Amino acid sequence: MSRIATLAAAFTAAVLLGSLSASAQAGFDLSPEQTGRIRVGRNAAAIAAIPAGFAFAAPGRLTVAINPSGPPLGTFATDARTIVGADPDIGHAVAEALGLDLVLVATAWADWPLGLTSGKYDAVISNVGVTEQRKEKFDFSSYRLGLHGFFVRADSGIGAIREPKDAAGLKIAVTAGTNQERILLEWSRQNVAAGLKPIEFQTFDDEAARLVALISGRADVIVQPHAQLVFIAARDRNIKRVGTLSAGWPARSDVAITTRKGSGLAAPLTLAINGLIADGSYARILARWQLAEEALPASEVNPPGLPKF
């Protein structure tokens, strides 16, 4: 086993052992009780927009699929059963606005499209990004920005990364084949064309290995989905954010509640979300999970999605 792999394995073990207490110290409530969850009232306009005779997967309930892959978006609580996080909170709020009880179903990421199409679920709330290809089969109600984060060591002298020139010559750890790598390759190309240094890419498939590379000084910056790094930074207190990157750079990229194409549920869900935005509940939900940077000004039905590449 290589030295970096050994360090990564040790790092992962330490994280697992200390995750529960560290989560509480970082300000994230991963208890099953969720006493701080934001409660909302019914939204009459959103309820009225539900198509007459709409057949919910379970009468009187909004059945939502979620992949509990990790905090702060969605994870299992300390009882190893209850699903908690920012996405579940959005689900609870939307269901309450529609006058429905929420049923969360833990689902593997690869399984949600078939389950949704077959009617097993009414919706998916699981950090699903809007793409033009997905819009051919599903409808969307946007509820969050799709962001990647630039994070550095807490003692790093790097102040901010906002545009390609800010990343020139830096050693950046990413996952090969990801959208963030594709964008940063274009940034590097632009830098070289402008006479600046290229970005030096360090690719890792494992998050622990990327973090070890950053903390050990092998990498200057780590780039991956913003929410994941927000949680890690609050938990470990040894990395900090110096910028964000739209998943659709140079355009905006939206994350959305996903529903069956033509089911008619996207409009009432969008009305419900916009009601939450208007009364401040939405902002409080995102702030509860330290994701205020991912707030949208308004929800849209089927907003522009990432293009086909």
Side-chain angles (χ1 to χ4, degrees):
M1 181 180 288
S2 68
R3 182 172 181 272
I4 192 72
T6 302
L7 287 171
F11 181 91
T12 301
V15 166
L16 290 173
L17 288 172
S19 61
L20 296 183
S21 60
S23 296
Q25 293 170 8
F28 293 97
D29 177 13
L30 300 185
S31 70
E33 294 81 13
Q34 292 294 292
T35 56
R37 179 180 290 136
I38 309 303
R39 314 291 175 174
V40 305
R42 294 188 175 205
N43 182 322
I47 293 171
I50 298 173
F54 181 85
F56 286 96
R61 299 179 177 182
L62 181 66
T63 302
V64 170
I66 182 169
N67 176 227
S69 56
L73 295 182
T75 189
F76 286 107
T78 52
D79 64 356
R81 287 196 316 261
T82 307
I83 303 173
V84 300
D87 281 352
D89 274 13
I90 290 290
H92 280 284
V94 167
E96 289 172 3
L98 294 177
L100 302 167
D101 293 325
L102 180 69
V103 176
L104 286 174
V105 181
T107 308
W109 175 263
D111 293 342
W112 71 255
L114 180 58
L116 182 59
T117 302
S118 68
K120 184 177 180 180
Y121 325 118
D122 302 310
V124 178
I125 307 179
S126 194
N127 200 37
V128 180
V130 182
T131 70
E132 291 304 312
Q133 185 170 8
R134 286 175 179 158
K135 282 165 64 176
E136 294 173 0
K137 295 183 178 180
F138 304 102
D139 285 331
F140 293 94
S141 302
S142 57
Y143 71 96
R144 221 178 61 242
L145 286 172
L147 293 181
H148 302 306
F150 292 105
F151 280 66
V152 299
R153 292 183 305 280
D155 61 355
S156 172
I158 298 171
I161 300 177
R162 300 188 182 92
E163 54 186 323
K165 67 181 181 63
D166 298 330
L170 295 180
K171 295 176 289 186
I172 298 184
V174 297
T175 303
T178 57
N179 190 44
Q180 55 264 34
E181 184 194 41
R182 178 189 61 79
I183 294 170
L184 291 174
L185 283 169
E186 174 59 21
W187 278 32
S188 188
R189 187 196 67 77
Q190 290 186 15
N191 283 337
V192 171
L196 301 174
K197 292 181 178 180
I199 294 171
E200 182 180 328
F201 290 90
Q202 297 188 358
T203 57
F204 302 93
D205 292 331
D206 180 76
E207 180 182 85
R210 287 193 298 276
L211 288 168
V212 168
L214 179 65
I215 299 305
S216 68
R218 288 188 57 193
D220 301 312
V221 186
I222 185 173
V223 180
Q224 64 186 56
H226 174 255
Q228 298 171 356
L229 291 172
V230 165
F231 179 80
I232 292 168
R235 181 194 65 197
D236 298 347
R237 302 172 187 255
N238 58 1
I239 64 173
K240 64 181 180 180
R241 179 180 54 227
V242 292
T244 57
L245 173 68
S246 169
W249 182 89
R252 193 178 87 185
S253 174
D254 288 354
V255 172
I257 300 177
T258 311
T259 51
R260 291 186 296 280
K261 190 73 177 177
S263 71
L265 203 55
L269 287 170
T270 301
L271 284 170
I273 297 166
N274 280 326
L276 300 176
I277 292 173
D279 70 14
S281 301
Y282 171 78
R284 291 196 296 275
I285 290 170
L286 292 187
R288 181 172 187 249
W289 297 99
Q290 302 184 28
L291 296 177
E293 290 79 11
E294 300 191 6
L296 283 172
S299 175
E300 299 177 61
V301 173
N302 293 329
L306 295 180
K308 298 178 183 179
F309 294 106

